[in-house]
Amino acid sequence: MISFLSEILPVVKPVWHLSVIALNLVVVGYALSHVLLRNRDHRSAAFWAVLIAFVPFLGACFYALFGINRLRRRGAKYRHSLELAAVGEACPVNPWQTVPELKELRALSTSLGMISRFGFTVGNHVTVLRNGEEAMPAMLEAIRGAKKSVSLCSYIFEAHGIGMKFVEELVKAKDRGVEVRVLVDDAGTRYSWPPITHLLRGRGIKAKRFMPIRFVLRILTMNLRNHRKVMVVDGTTGFTGGMNIRQGNMLEADPSHPVQDMHFKVEGPVVQQLQRVFAEDWAFCSGEVLSGPLWYPTLEPAGEVAAIGVPDGPDEDLELMPKTIFAALSEARHSVRIMTPYFLPPPALIWALNLAALRGVDVKVLTPKRNNIPFVRWAARTLYPEMLEKGVKIYEADGHFDHSKFMTVDGLWSLVGSTNWDPRSLRLNFEFNLACFDDLLAQELDREFEKKVRNGTLESLAALRNATLAERLRDGFARLFMPFL
């Protein structure tokens, strides 16, 4: 027996080695083919190709875990399966020819009509709500008046303070026969205890967490969060913007971590698009399809704003917001105002900002000096010189951390919603924004911007160059982590 094994083992060993080599070649070949055929980002494709080629087998395994956008395929599957009422008409090639409100920014309106999968709507009204003192009572009043349905999506929904008032009103609405659905991102449920979804379900509310982070799935989905803030009552009144449901927004209550913010009440036909975005996310998480007049009633004109919803996320709507912003910057002729809590624009948007400034557009950016994530501000400061040199004016606001986010162009167009100017928000998160064509709304936001600028500091090249060596090393180190911020 021993002599037999001594004769066969030298044969088996080379065959085993060859099998492993063959398997690795097949796996590497398949992974490389997938990168070359499916990955649209050349920088990402180059990174994965090198890793797969030079780290045998393990590189392909890492690519399978982290490099493949499964959400796009899954998103396409559930979205196309929804039998929902059409939301907005198919956008004409030149929407400004049929919608007078769009004529002054005809190129931008045409671009947005092609970028978004929604259609333009007219006859909308958008109300600016400043801080929790204006936004939260308006939302609670809408829930108190609900007769048929309430759909609520938030990134953060705290289970105390103002959050408990929302719980109470949602339970009262459910008890009087209103259909209530609540969706909260899983990461956002961890800001308070117990998780708000547990509390709501315990009181009979249909509530879901978006992409729960569990065990191995924590690695696969930790960066793909639902950052949208959308509430629709009776299918007729909507709320959207950047405000989470948390006590920090209630400035008059002197919270331990005060946050300034802005939210928007929306009325008119575009509310159907807010409802559609919620319904898609709800179907993704629960499998339940929301349809019919209970959720999509016929909507009458409520104002003079022409608006279109722009959903964005790592699925079918990948990178629609960078395209929207780029189109707006390209169309600007007189002024651009940008307010964002996190200002880490990708190279393409930096170029667009610089080009706008070079052709004489007054470009101003306002971002907080006291950021709730200091790493973001440190990294952002390494980007300032390139823009300051071209004439972009960057202000850092003093006072409480300001989470507000909006953009205006030429006092005619505004973009409001949940998107920040950072890699996570522009590429990884699920976001929702409204592009609005209305001079009164844009000019109101411009006035808010100028009011906040007065409490800020204009950055200069001299100040950045005179920073201490320790500060410059700190900022440069933070910049290394920019893709993850």
Side-chain angles (χ1 to χ4, degrees):
M1 182 67 178
I2 294 175
S3 61
F4 172 75
L5 289 175
S6 64
E7 291 177 2
I8 194 172
L9 281 176
V11 177
V12 172
K13 191 173 181 181
V15 171
W16 181 79
H17 284 170
L18 289 174
S19 299
V20 171
I21 293 171
L23 176 62
N24 182 62
L25 288 174
V26 170
V27 171
V28 167
Y30 182 80
L32 281 174
S33 299
H34 195 281
V35 169
L36 297 175
L37 295 174
R38 300 291 184 87
N39 197 309
R40 301 192 309 181
D41 186 329
H42 65 280
R43 292 167 297 180
S44 172
F47 167 79
W48 285 116
V50 170
L51 185 67
I52 291 167
F54 290 94
V55 184
F57 193 72
L58 286 178
C61 291
F62 273 105
Y63 176 69
L65 286 173
F66 305 112
I68 299 175
N69 190 342
R70 294 174 178 82
L71 279 179
R72 184 180 297 175
R73 246 182 304 175
R74 185 176 173 189
K77 183 178 179 181
Y78 84 80
R79 189 168 289 152
H80 293 320
S81 69
L82 292 180
E83 295 180 359
L84 299 177
V87 180
E89 298 298 327
C91 185
V93 176
N94 295 313
W96 52 268
Q97 292 181 342
T98 55
V99 182
E101 291 85 346
L102 309 180
K103 285 185 178 180
E104 293 192 64
L105 290 172
R106 59 183 63 183
L108 178 56
S109 63
T110 300
S111 298
L112 296 189
M114 302 303 292
I115 289 172
S116 177
R117 55 187 168 85
F118 292 146
F120 274 99
T121 62
V122 294
N124 302 291
H125 183 74
V126 179
T127 304
V128 179
L129 302 172
R130 300 159 185 83
N131 298 320
E133 280 69 32
E134 291 186 5
M136 299 303 173
M139 296 171 72
L140 290 169
E141 183 63 28
I143 296 172
R144 278 192 286 271
K147 296 179 175 60
K148 298 178 180 178
S149 63
V150 175
S151 52
L152 171 60
C153 173
S154 185
Y155 175 61
I156 299 173
F157 189 159
E158 288 182 343
H160 60 80
I162 192 66
M164 287 308 300
K165 293 186 179 180
F166 274 83
V167 171
E168 293 168 5
E169 294 301 335
L170 290 169
V171 170
K172 290 178 182 177
K174 184 266 298 181
D175 290 344
R176 64 177 182 267
V178 176
E179 290 290 329
V180 179
R181 305 290 186 274
V182 178
L183 180 62
V184 185
D185 185 82
D186 183 71
T189 65
R190 300 169 189 270
Y191 283 75
S192 62
W193 187 263
I196 193 69
T197 47
H198 293 184
L199 188 62
L200 289 167
R201 285 197 292 264
R203 300 195 181 188
I205 300 290
K206 293 183 179 179
K208 290 287 183 181
R209 289 183 295 163
F210 185 88
M211 294 182 69
I213 302 172
R214 301 190 184 100
F215 305 109
V216 176
L217 290 178
R218 177 187 297 271
I219 299 175
L220 298 179
T221 64
M222 62 185 298
N223 283 322
L224 305 175
R225 310 316 320 163
N226 192 324
H227 195 240
R228 294 167 177 160
K229 291 91 176 176
V230 172
M231 187 176 89
V232 180
V233 175
D234 291 338
T236 61
T237 303
F239 294 85
T240 193
M243 198 175 298
N244 294 295
I245 300 175
R246 57 186 320 191
Q247 187 62 20
N249 294 120
M250 311 306 293
L251 300 183
E252 293 180 2
D254 192 24
S256 55
H257 299 286
V259 178
Q260 301 180 75
D261 212 332
M262 296 179 73
H263 219 54
F264 301 86
K265 181 180 179 180
V266 185
E267 299 163 286
V270 80
V271 172
Q272 281 199 346
Q273 298 180 12
L274 277 69
Q275 189 74 289
R276 173 64 186 249
V277 166
F278 176 87
E280 290 172 353
D281 290 344
W282 182 257
F284 181 83
C285 295
S286 71
E288 180 187 14
V289 175
L290 306 179
S291 60
L294 182 69
W295 304 97
Y296 296 96
T298 301
L299 297 178
E300 299 296 330
E304 302 296 328
V305 180
I308 183 172
V310 186
D312 184 68
D315 55 0
E316 286 186 298
D317 298 320
L318 183 67
E319 294 186 327
L320 294 192
M321 277 316 303
K323 295 172 185 174
T324 296
I325 294 170
F326 191 94
L329 292 172
S330 300
E331 179 72 358
R333 294 295 174 266
H334 306 293
S335 68
V336 169
R337 301 289 181 263
I338 297 164
M339 185 160 188
T340 178
Y342 314 115
F343 186 58
L344 296 169
L349 294 185
I350 292 177
W351 301 335
L353 287 165
N354 290 343
L355 288 172
L358 287 171
R359 66 174 182 266
V361 178
D362 183 22
V363 180
K364 292 182 179 179
V365 179
L366 181 62
T367 191
K369 178 174 289 187
R370 296 180 182 179
N371 204 297
N372 68 331
I373 308 175
F375 233 62
V376 173
R377 178 177 178 260
W378 300 341
R381 291 175 66 80
T382 66
L383 303 179
Y384 289 178
E386 181 180 355
M387 290 176 277
L388 294 174
E389 288 172 352
K390 302 300 187 295
V392 176
K393 301 179 184 71
I394 301 174
Y395 297 82
E396 289 191 338
D398 291 313
H400 297 317
F401 172 64
D402 202 325
H403 193 249
S404 305
K405 53 206 78 177
F406 62 81
M407 174 183 178
T408 68
V409 170
D410 293 347
L412 298 172
W413 179 85
S414 53
L415 182 70
V416 302
S418 62
T419 298
N420 300 311
W421 282 58
D422 60 31
R424 183 178 298 276
S425 199
L426 292 172
R427 183 171 177 84
L428 296 177
N429 288 344
F430 292 86
E431 309 279 3
F432 180 75
N433 296 264
L434 278 181
C436 303
F437 293 78
D438 181 69
D439 57 344
L440 296 179
L441 174 61
Q443 290 165 21
E444 181 177 359
L445 292 175
D446 283 348
R447 288 192 294 272
E448 287 295 319
F449 183 94
E450 295 302 329
K451 186 189 303 181
K452 292 175 181 289
V453 159
R454 287 196 289 271
N455 295 322
T457 303
L458 177 62
E459 291 298 306
S460 68
L461 285 170
L464 291 171
R465 289 168 179 164
N466 290 332
T468 66
L469 177 61
E471 289 174 333
R472 284 180 283 144
L473 287 174
R474 175 202 66 188
D475 296 348
F477 178 72
R479 184 175 186 172
L480 298 177
F481 298 89
M482 197 177 296
F484 309 102
L485 296 176

